[in-house]
Amino acid sequence: MLTLNRSETTSALDYSNLNTSIQETFTAIDRFEWQAVDEILQMREQQLYLQAGYKNFEEYCQRELYAWGGYRRINQLLGAKKVIDAVGELGGHIKNERQARPLLRLVKEPEKLKQAVAIALKDNPSPGESDFAAAANIVVPQLPRKKQSTQEPMVPKIQEPVVPQKAIVTVSQQSHPRYGDSGVIEADAPNRWQQIVTFADGERLLINNTDLDAPSVPFPRERNYPPEYTEAIAQIKEQHQQELERLEQELRIGLQAEVNARAEAQVQEQIQSLQQLYKQQREQNIQLQQRLDEMESLRQLETENQQLRQRIQDLENAVEQRPSQQWGNTMTQQATKVLNKQVKQALEKTIDLRSLAQEPPKENAQECLRLMGMALKNLASAMNNTQALEAAAIILGSEPTPTAIAYRAEQLEMLPQAVSDIRAVLTKPGCMWQDYWAVAQEYEVIKQDYWAELTTQETELITALQNASLQPRTIGVGSVVAHADPYRTLYVERGEVVEDLGEELLVAWDCWKEQSKKTDRYFRDELRFWQPEKE
């Protein structure tokens, strides 16, 4: 049986505790360091160092914080703070200033900075300084510095005057973050085209000579190049300008072609809409002309009817003016001829009851009764027979007056057409209450008559359509729709909703069946329920 040595167990436990304590101590140091950064920012922004007699922030750091690296270390910590603020939520993965140092050069480009942090986290869940440096180099590669050669340069060294020290300068470049601020050059320049400028708040920045404005200090604004370099640069600039002009021309041509195509499509769509509207207007004009012709025919029949009534009235007056003793129970031959002639003319426009008995109407018995009522009405008018008039009123179901019988006869004349139109609507596929009502409201005065002629299945179908119309309708899957915009060609086309996408619906159009694109997406308020055009 194996046993553990007590000294080895104690040593292992002591190492684990000590290692954990060391890690926690360093973590606390990093946390206190970030806390010190927040306090340093308050000291600099509120300029509390002025209370101690320090002229600027740099002097405060050099005097009070020299044991912790002085102004140089404070700048590093402030730079790390900028990195964490710029990276946002990912800043929690940056534990200390050393990890943020390789990311500082990306702080002015937050998107690339976040991309670098994400790459470091992808490779290592707990990245270190080297991981962040490698990720930053992947996002924005850093060119290696060239070593100083001991040989004499082939090209003569460019001599550019250096801005003298203690010169007061102002940042004149608008794109620079310190634009408009003045500073002092107190240190030697690291090269011949940049200067180290110290500002009033103690911040020291390396700024290009071209970004500074110092009228009292002469220094070149542009670098001077040898003639061979100048020609090469000019040639590269010319090629670059030509390439920019070519790309601009191609972009302009592409945009113009796209605009022309869209305009042509819109014009074509408007033309089709106008053609459809013109077709509808022409059909309406034809219907109106037919109505006018019917009204003219009715007016002529009314005129003839008035003339016939006037003639009968004249005959009755002529008979009444004769003394009763001259007529007796008979009439003179001349009066008989006149009366028989008028009666014959009136009966020419009536219906022969014997012909109805020999060949009854093929449609229905209601039509037969209507024709019999019309015949009795005409006979009563011609013969002035009250019993025939009452019989006509009983058959037709109206008051026993010529006017009521005539009105009822006109209503019953519409009955066959009403039954035919209603049955035609009910047999159409996808019939709805609106389709039925559009036809039935024209025959509302004879609803009881045509209702009696319909079958039980037809009346039940009408009742079901009416009940369904009382419920709110919502366009959904399976609904037959059309476009709601009357100026779109799809306003008169039929489509079916095949899929509900939430806020949008997918519609398959019948007119697109032969095309490659058969469906399209629309919002509900862009669609309406489809209604077939009236013939």
Side-chain angles (χ1 to χ4, degrees), residues 160-313:
E160 294 185 356
V162 181
V163 178
Q165 298 182 5
K166 296 296 182 179
I168 299 176
V169 292
T170 303
V171 179
S172 59
Q173 182 64 30
Q174 295 183 357
S175 60
H176 198 277
R178 298 303 295 261
Y179 169 70
D181 295 345
S182 298
V184 181
I185 300 176
E186 296 180 347
D188 293 336
N191 50 59
R192 295 185 176 274
W193 55 87
Q194 292 178 316
Q195 299 295 332
I196 299 176
V197 182
T198 303
F199 293 94
D201 58 359
E203 185 177 8
R204 304 176 70 184
L205 297 177
L206 187 63
I207 304 177
N208 295 331
N209 290 348
T210 55
D211 295 342
L212 298 175
D213 182 17
S216 60
V217 182
F219 57 86
R221 291 287 177 174
E222 298 180 357
R223 300 182 62 180
N224 297 325
Y225 298 95
E228 56 272 20
Y229 284 13
T230 304
E231 294 178 359
I233 291 173
Q235 185 177 3
I236 292 174
K237 287 183 177 179
E238 184 178 357
Q239 293 177 357
H240 181 65
Q241 184 65 26
Q242 292 177 356
E243 183 68 17
L244 288 177
E245 293 177 356
R246 184 184 64 82
L247 293 176
E248 183 179 358
Q249 183 68 16
E250 292 180 356
L251 181 60
R252 187 183 299 109
I253 294 174
L255 291 176
Q256 186 66 29
E258 183 179 357
V259 170
N260 292 337
R262 289 184 178 179
E264 184 178 354
Q266 291 179 357
V267 170
Q268 187 67 22
E269 187 175 354
Q270 292 178 358
I271 291 175
Q272 294 178 358
S273 300
L274 291 175
Q275 290 177 350
Q276 188 66 29
L277 290 175
Y278 171 74
K279 180 180 178 181
Q280 295 177 359
Q281 291 291 337
R282 186 177 59 182
E283 293 177 354
Q284 292 179 0
N285 291 337
I286 293 174
Q287 294 177 0
L288 290 175
Q289 186 62 38
Q290 293 176 354
R291 293 284 183 86
L292 291 175
D293 294 341
E294 293 177 357
M295 293 178 65
E296 182 64 22
S297 300
L298 292 175
R299 189 183 64 81
Q300 293 178 358
L301 291 176
E302 182 67 20
T303 303
E304 294 178 358
N305 190 20
Q306 290 179 358
Q307 293 177 354
L308 182 59
R309 290 179 179 177
Q310 184 63 35
R311 183 58 178 166
I312 293 174
Q313 186 65 32

Side-chain angles (χ1 to χ4, degrees), residues 224-499:
N224 297 325
Y225 298 95
E228 56 272 20
Y229 284 13
T230 304
E231 294 178 359
I233 291 173
Q235 185 177 3
I236 292 174
K237 287 183 177 179
E238 184 178 357
Q239 293 177 357
H240 181 65
Q241 184 65 26
Q242 292 177 356
E243 183 68 17
L244 288 177
E245 293 177 356
R246 184 184 64 82
L247 293 176
E248 183 179 358
Q249 183 68 16
E250 292 180 356
L251 181 60
R252 187 183 299 109
I253 294 174
L255 291 176
Q256 186 66 29
E258 183 179 357
V259 170
N260 292 337
R262 289 184 178 179
E264 184 178 354
Q266 291 179 357
V267 170
Q268 187 67 22
E269 187 175 354
Q270 292 178 358
I271 291 175
Q272 294 178 358
S273 300
L274 291 175
Q275 290 177 350
Q276 188 66 29
L277 290 175
Y278 171 74
K279 180 180 178 181
Q280 295 177 359
Q281 291 291 337
R282 186 177 59 182
E283 293 177 354
Q284 292 179 0
N285 291 337
I286 293 174
Q287 294 177 0
L288 290 175
Q289 186 62 38
Q290 293 176 354
R291 293 284 183 86
L292 291 175
D293 294 341
E294 293 177 357
M295 293 178 65
E296 182 64 22
S297 300
L298 292 175
R299 189 183 64 81
Q300 293 178 358
L301 291 176
E302 182 67 20
T303 303
E304 294 178 358
N305 190 20
Q306 290 179 358
Q307 293 177 354
L308 182 59
R309 290 179 179 177
Q310 184 63 35
R311 183 58 178 166
I312 293 174
Q313 186 65 32
D314 294 341
L315 290 174
E316 291 178 352
N317 294 335
V319 172
E320 290 177 356
Q321 290 176 0
R322 289 285 184 175
S324 58
Q325 64 274 15
Q326 294 183 6
W327 292 100
N329 294 328
T330 60
M331 299 167 54
T332 61
Q333 185 177 4
Q334 187 65 25
T336 302
K337 290 182 180 180
V338 173
L339 184 58
N340 288 338
K341 182 179 180 181
Q342 297 300 328
V343 171
K344 183 178 180 181
Q345 291 177 356
L347 291 178
E348 287 178 354
K349 297 182 180 180
T350 62
I351 300 174
D352 191 357
L353 296 178
R354 290 173 298 179
S355 64
L356 290 177
Q358 294 176 0
E359 186 178 359
K362 299 178 180 180
E363 286 79 3
N364 49 50
Q366 185 69 23
E367 179 66 10
C368 181
L369 291 175
R370 184 186 70 82
L371 294 176
M372 291 178 62
M374 290 292 297
L376 290 174
K377 178 257 183 184
N378 292 333
L379 182 60
S381 299
M383 300 298 295
N384 195 18
N385 192 325
T386 305
Q387 294 179 351
L389 189 64
E390 292 177 353
I394 293 173
I395 293 175
L396 297 178
S398 66
E399 296 293 331
T401 60
T403 304
I405 293 175
Y407 179 71
R408 179 60 177 166
E410 291 178 359
Q411 290 182 348
L412 294 178
E413 285 180 359
M414 298 188 297
L415 181 59
Q417 185 64 33
V419 175
S420 176
D421 293 346
I422 291 173
R423 284 177 174 170
V425 171
L426 295 178
T427 56
K428 286 184 178 180
C431 175
M432 304 178 68
W433 170 257
Q434 289 78 2
D435 303 331
Y436 162 76
W437 181 245
V439 177
Q441 64 182 353
E442 298 181 4
Y443 306 107
E444 185 66 16
V445 294
I446 56 171
K447 180 178 180 180
Q448 295 182 352
D449 299 309
Y450 74 71
W451 193 267
E453 296 297 324
L454 298 177
T455 63
T456 305
Q457 293 80 3
E458 291 172 340
T459 55
E460 291 178 352
L461 176 59
I462 294 172
T463 304
L465 293 176
Q466 184 178 11
N467 294 335
S469 66
L470 298 177
Q471 301 177 357
R473 302 177 61 193
T474 304
I475 297 178
V477 177
S479 298
V480 180
V481 297
H483 203 283
D485 189 353
Y487 294 101
R488 296 288 298 273
T489 55
L490 298 176
Y491 181 78
V492 295
E493 299 296 340
R494 182 181 183 276
E496 183 178 0
V497 179
V498 297
E499 186 178 359

